[in-house]
Amino acid sequence: MATTLRLALIGPLAAIALVAGDILVPRNTISPELLGASEAFADDDDDDGGGSSSGRSGSYGAGAGWRGGRSLFPFRALLPRRSTPRRSQAVAPAPIRARDEIVGLGFGPAQIEQLTASGFEVLERATMATFNSEVVKLRIPAGVTLDAAREQARTVAPEATIDFNHYFRPEQRAETPCPGTDCLARSVIGWPAAQDWAGACTGGTTIGLVDTAINPEHDAFEGSSIEIIRLSDRKLPESGKQHGTAVAALLVGSATSRTPGLIPGGKLIAVDTFHRAGRQDDRSGAFDLVRALDLLSNRQVQVINLSLAGPPNLLLEETVKKLGGGGIIMVAAAGNDGPKAEPVYPAAYEEVIAVTATDKRKRPYRRAGRGEHIDFAAPGVAVWTAASISGARPKTGTSFAAPFVTAAVALMKASEPALAPEQIRNALTGNAEDLGDPGKDPIFGWGLLNARSICKTEP
């Protein structure tokens, strides 16, 4: 009798289950697939103005049979289980370069004419004052591979620097919650409060920033001196404001806001070279990146923050060498691809200060890149800074560690304008807190930034 009743129930229950779906989420957990998010594509643009990440413990959506972490259909256990698990949808890796473009620096007019005659198309060109030459973006001929097109261009113009139009992206990861309402990670390294600075350390150096779009209306920038220049093709969608706003606020956010900057009221020239290519895929081509560096060099900027990363690129390498030789200090994020990942650029170039991230307990950020090119560590886990629309929230990634070193360099230059890049590196090295193996190591570099020695405070 019991067996007959059980079999009679299977049909109706199966129909209910098909309507309801079969996504079961254990109590007190949230499935990324259910909520439409994943770590690689975490969205921090859903600002609630309250300054903290949302922490839902349950929800109900189409096809999802749960609420508050409990199944709405406990009788699902009576039904036969699937013999094979569902396949997870594979996510295609983001492209590392434009599919049909190359870029070149140092083409002559006759060489451009020869290339266009063979099927290349000039998409953009701009003067690079740093080199007294033009940088050109070309579309390759139809039916020709990128490698073949690059070699053809190099044959036509052997003296030019030619490479693919590689993509560079912001170095941030999913948000990490912090225990309180404030996550001023600067306390870990002894960053001085504004009222403690000696007069010589409060300003005088303009910081350059190459990043995504910025929300200039954010409360964090009230009274701040920020100039925003967009270099990316205006026909392309504007990039998201999450990353650029957070980095800019961390550098120069108003002292009276909920996200006081490391140098409140400092002067910032921010160049937006990014565009949005897909869901949260903000990318900058090498063509725009080198133009941004050239622009900041011509504006007499002495320190540039580069919280971005990508593959090696010959045009970027040449530009970095040129600026470094001219005394400009560039600070870049070490990347978030993991300890076993290949070095990312521009951080891995010799002229650039590569910064990795640590948490409040001075432990290395688990996703941070490693290698002999790492120079310093700085707070980069649950760093409290501006959200894109309003309010604030913690941010994680080597993107948010780099600004600490950038701000330190800017204050040192403000205190002693004649300091050369090598002297600044030596000063940072001599005062860093050695966290790993004695001396320089591939995890922390020379060690954790020590802000207590940046500006001598009044006795």
Side-chain angles (χ1 to χ4, degrees):
M1 178 68 178
T3 302
T4 304
L5 179 60
R6 183 183 180 95
L7 291 173
L9 285 172
I10 288 179
L13 292 178
I16 293 173
L18 287 173
V19 174
D22 64 347
I23 301 175
L24 294 179
V25 181
R27 179 184 292 273
N28 297 327
T29 64
I30 300 178
S31 167
E33 290 78 17
L34 178 62
L35 297 181
S38 67
E39 183 177 64
F41 296 96
D43 186 4
D44 63 356
D45 202 24
D46 53 347
D47 299 353
D48 55 12
S52 63
S53 303
S54 60
R56 293 182 290 179
S57 59
S59 66
Y60 181 83
W66 74 291
R67 179 185 288 122
R70 288 176 291 181
S71 173
L72 296 182
F73 303 97
F75 44 74
R76 276 275 296 170
L78 298 174
L79 300 176
R81 293 187 177 272
R82 292 174 179 268
S83 59
T84 57
R86 286 190 170 186
R87 294 181 180 179
S88 59
Q89 292 184 348
V91 178
I96 65 169
R97 62 194 184 190
R99 63 180 182 178
D100 60 354
E101 296 173 2
I102 62 171
V103 289
L105 178 65
F107 285 119
Q111 294 165 337
I112 291 291
E113 185 176 346
Q114 184 176 345
L115 288 171
T116 54
S118 62
F120 287 83
E121 177 188 353
V122 176
L123 296 176
E124 285 188 78
R125 58 200 308 168
T127 300
M128 293 271 285
T130 305
F131 294 92
N132 192 28
S133 182
E134 268 194 334
V135 60
V136 181
K137 179 165 65 175
L138 296 163
R139 176 175 287 133
I140 67 175
V144 178
T145 67
L146 269 173
D147 290 291
R150 182 177 62 174
E151 290 310 307
Q152 182 180 344
R154 287 175 173 175
T155 300
V156 171
E159 301 300 319
T161 302
I162 303 167
D163 209 337
F164 306 125
N165 194 17
H166 287 112
Y167 289 137
F168 296 80
R169 292 178 170 87
E171 285 303 294
Q172 104 175 5
R173 280 285 179 171
E175 295 167 16
T176 302
C178 60
T181 58
D182 199 341
C183 296
L184 293 181
R186 67 196 66 188
S187 60
V188 177
I189 58 172
W191 194 271
Q195 63 267 23
D196 296 331
W197 286 341
C201 279
T202 56
T205 299
T206 299
I207 298 174
L209 173 65
V210 182
D211 216 295
T212 68
I214 293 173
N215 174 17
E217 304 302 319
H218 198 290
D219 292 343
F221 302 126
E222 185 175 355
S224 298
S225 176
I226 302 180
E227 180 183 357
I228 302 173
I229 303 168
R230 186 181 181 196
L231 275 190
S232 60
D233 189 341
R234 294 187 179 274
K235 293 179 291 185
L236 297 172
E238 188 179 73
S239 60
K241 295 181 172 66
Q242 300 100 315
H243 193 269
T245 301
V247 173
L250 184 57
L251 285 168
V252 299
S254 171
T256 59
S257 71
R258 293 189 60 204
T259 57
L262 297 168
I263 310 178
K267 186 175 181 182
L268 184 72
I269 301 178
V271 186
D272 173 12
T273 64
F274 287 77
H275 67 277
R276 179 148 287 190
R279 184 176 181 270
Q280 295 187 43
D281 184 10
D282 292 329
R283 60 176 71 161
S284 170
F287 176 81
D288 292 319
L289 184 53
V290 299
R291 290 170 59 212
L293 292 174
D294 178 68
L295 183 154
L296 291 170
S297 172
N298 292 328
R299 296 291 297 273
Q300 308 302 310
V301 168
Q302 296 177 301
V303 57
I304 301 173
N305 189 88
L306 299 162
S307 290
L308 50 86
N313 180 273
L314 293 177
L315 273 71
L316 178 61
E317 182 179 3
E318 286 297 315
T319 305
V320 162
K321 285 181 178 179
K322 191 74 171 180
L323 267 61
I328 296 175
I329 300 170
M330 291 156 283
V331 181
N336 304 331
D337 292 334
K340 296 181 180 180
E342 293 293 321
V344 295
Y345 297 82
Y349 291 128
E350 185 178 353
E351 295 80 6
V352 177
I353 297 177
V355 184
T356 188
T358 60
D359 64 13
K360 285 189 173 183
R361 295 172 63 181
K362 302 180 183 180
R363 300 174 301 185
Y365 173 45
R366 64 187 182 89
R367 293 186 178 276
R370 298 181 181 182
E372 297 302 324
H373 63 288
I374 301 297
D375 292 302
F376 300 103
V381 177
V383 175
W384 190 252
T385 187
S388 60
I389 300 173
S390 64
R393 61 182 62 218
K395 303 279 186 175
T396 293
T398 55
S399 270
F400 308 106
F404 284 91
V405 176
T406 298
V409 172
L411 289 181
M412 294 169 73
K413 289 291 288 184
S415 178
E416 298 183 61
L419 281 177
E422 195 59 32
Q423 291 175 301
I424 288 177
R425 277 182 180 262
N426 290 340
L428 293 174
T429 300
N431 290 290
E433 180 182 352
D434 197 344
L435 296 180
D437 295 335
K440 195 172 188 289
D441 66 71
I443 300 176
F444 301 101
W446 291 107
L448 184 66
L449 176 69
N450 178 11
R452 298 169 183 86
S453 62
I454 294 172
C455 293
K456 303 301 181 183
T457 56
E458 300 283 355

